[in-house]
Structures are given as C-alpha cells and as structure tokens.
C-alpha cells in the first residue's frame, strides 16, 4: 500500500448547466450567500488577462516543489475541469509554467489554481486561461512525487472535494460543495439582483441609507 501516492477515481462532478449559470454570479455574492465561511485565502490571486473561472474541481495534492502528479492530472483532465493544486503554499519552486498551461488550455481545461508558485508570468497575463496562484518564481519543479489525484484537499481552511464547483474572479476563488449548488445559486442570484437595484438607486440619487442610523442606535452609539 502506497500512502500519499495514489490516483483516486472521481465519482461525481457538477454538470455543465450548473457551471454556466454560476459564471454570471460574482464570487463575493456567492461567498456572502454561504455566510462568509468559505474562502480560499487572500494569497490566491488571478494572474491571467481577465475573465471568470468556473468548472468542476480536479484536485491534486502535490509535494511542495514537485509536479509529477500535476502532469498525471493533465493526462486525465476533461474539458471544463479546474485543476486545483495544493502544493502546500510553498513558493520555492514553480509548479506550472507556460508549456503545461498551454497544454491545459488546448485540451479545454477551464482554469488552474495553484496553492504555490507558477512561472512564465508573461504568458499567463497575455492569455485568457484563468490562472490563480500564491506567487511567481522562475525556479522550476522536480518530478518525483509523491502526491494524490482526486483526494479531498483544503486551501486556507476551504475544503474542496473532487467534482465540487469552483468559481473565481478578481476577488479570488470560492468552492461550492457539489450537493449545495442549487441552494447557493438561488441565494447568490437573489443577492446579485438586490445589489443591482441598489446600484440603480445610487445612480438615481434615491438610495435609502437610513439603516445605518438605525444600526447605530440599536448598538447604543452615543452622539447620534
């Protein structure tokens, strides 16, 4: 038995219709609708030219500084997958670069998240393939293993299981568990529509901010 060096089967993943409808929802609204309890960490920032990330998680738990299992995952990825790589947050060696990312883009991968470093930032920022990472370094990786594919991982406390929904935008990334997508979408979509109404009121100069004064009074603030 090889502990920590295994390719697990992925038994379920979110469908394309679910992925598509979440593309129109801001990550902040998804996060608020999940009671602000889910967060991939502020270090995971978008590095690409721009655009929304949305797809089904293909998880990789990789030894820091090594990317053998990321290569193995690329050989098994399907169009629409998001490679979510937990490399321990270490920034010593880049886990992915231009060649691997170009291949991912060519096979239809929806995006890449690396809890670690990447390289070839010039290529990344010139392309639309969504890439989120914790840092950048020119020093490349080793290819020895071990690691696991389709294992449960956690990024800064955010648990991700294979097939869960991953959404990312300029504010960062969020994971919506497979069995919660419908409830979260309904709440996040309502919040987004409510915010659109508030924005319209702001532009019209009719926004009601009386709630602030009520909150101050209710909290016992002096001098109102």
């Amino acid at each position: 038995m090889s502990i920590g060096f295994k390719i697990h089967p992925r038994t379920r993943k979110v469908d394309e219709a679910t992925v598509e409808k979440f593309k129109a929802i801001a990550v902040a609204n998804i996060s608020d609708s999940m009671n602000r309890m889910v967060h991939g960490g502020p270090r995971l920032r978008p590095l690409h030219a721009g655009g929304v990330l949305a797809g089904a998680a293909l998880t990789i738990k990789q030894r820091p500084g090594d990317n053998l299992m990321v290569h193995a995952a690329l050989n098994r990825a399907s169009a629409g997958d998001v490679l979510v790589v937990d490399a321990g947050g270490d920034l010593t060696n880049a886990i992915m670069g231009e060649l691997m990312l170009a291949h991912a883009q060519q096979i239809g991968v929806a995006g890449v998240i690396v809890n670690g470093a990447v390289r070839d930032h010039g290529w990344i920022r010139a392309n639309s393939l969504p890439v989120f990472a914790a840092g950048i370094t020119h020093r490349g990786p080793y290819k020895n293993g071990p690691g696991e594919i389709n294992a449960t991982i956690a990024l800064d406390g955010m648990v991700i299981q294979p097939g869960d929904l991953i959404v990312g935008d300029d504010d960062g990334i969020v994971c919506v568990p497979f069995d919660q997508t419908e409830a979260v979408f309904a709440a996040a979509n309502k919040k987004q529509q409510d915010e659109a109404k508030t924005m319209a009121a702001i532009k019209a100069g009719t926004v009601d901010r009386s709630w602030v004064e009520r909150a101050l009074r209710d909290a016992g603030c002096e001098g109102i």
Side-chain angles (χ1 to χ4, degrees), residues 175-197:
C175 173
V176 183
F178 176 83
D179 58 357
Q180 295 179 19
T181 54
E182 289 304 315
V184 172
F185 177 79
N189 187 48
K190 181 182 184 303
K191 180 172 177 57
Q192 188 148 306
Q193 291 179 14
D194 290 344
E195 288 196 351
K197 293 175 183 176

Side-chain angles (χ1 to χ4, degrees), residues 39-87:
H39 189 232
R43 293 206 307 162
L44 296 175
R45 305 305 308 152
L47 303 176
H48 54 289
V52 173
L53 165 68
L58 176 59
T59 61
I60 304 105
K61 187 171 181 62
Q62 180 62 71
R63 180 173 68 87
D66 193 288
N67 74 354
L68 176 62
M69 297 308 280
V70 184
H71 279 284
L74 275 174
N75 284 0
R76 291 159 175 81
S78 301
D81 284 345
V82 177
L83 301 186
V84 189
V85 185
D86 182 8

Side-chain angles (χ1 to χ4, degrees), residues 42-209:
R43 293 206 307 162
L44 296 175
R45 305 305 308 152
L47 303 176
H48 54 289
V52 173
L53 165 68
L58 176 59
T59 61
I60 304 105
K61 187 171 181 62
Q62 180 62 71
R63 180 173 68 87
D66 193 288
N67 74 354
L68 176 62
M69 297 308 280
V70 184
H71 279 284
L74 275 174
N75 284 0
R76 291 159 175 81
S78 301
D81 284 345
V82 177
L83 301 186
V84 189
V85 185
D86 182 8
D90 181 76
L91 305 181
T92 306
N93 301 81
I95 299 300
M96 299 183 75
E98 176 181 357
L99 296 179
M100 293 177 73
L101 293 168
H103 178 67
Q105 186 176 51
Q106 194 275 332
I107 64 176
V109 165
V112 173
I113 298 167
V114 179
N115 185 25
V118 294
R119 66 179 180 180
D120 300 320
H121 187 209
W123 186 93
I124 295 170
R125 68 171 177 253
N127 281 272
S128 60
L129 176 71
V131 176
F132 291 71
I136 301 165
T137 181
H138 58 77
R139 185 156 60 177
Y142 300 95
K143 295 174 172 59
N144 303 306
E148 293 186 75
I149 296 174
N150 288 325
T152 300
I153 62 174
L155 305 183
D156 207 20
M158 182 174 73
V159 176
I160 304 171
Q161 298 190 58
D164 283 349
L165 174 68
I166 302 294
V167 185
D169 62 18
D170 289 342
D171 286 337
I173 62 164
V174 67
C175 173
V176 183
F178 176 83
D179 58 357
Q180 295 179 19
T181 54
E182 289 304 315
V184 172
F185 177 79
N189 187 48
K190 181 182 184 303
K191 180 172 177 57
Q192 188 148 306
Q193 291 179 14
D194 290 344
E195 288 196 351
K197 293 175 183 176
T198 301
M199 180 61 76
I202 290 172
K203 292 180 177 179
T206 60
V207 67
D208 179 7
R209 296 187 53 79

Side-chain angles (χ1 to χ4, degrees), residues 3 10 14 29 35-36 50 73 81 134 148 182 202 205 211 221:
I3 304 298
R10 183 171 57 176
V14 291
N29 289 334
N35 282 316
R36 304 173 179 89
D81 284 345
E148 293 186 75
E182 289 304 315
I202 290 172
W211 67 269
C221 178

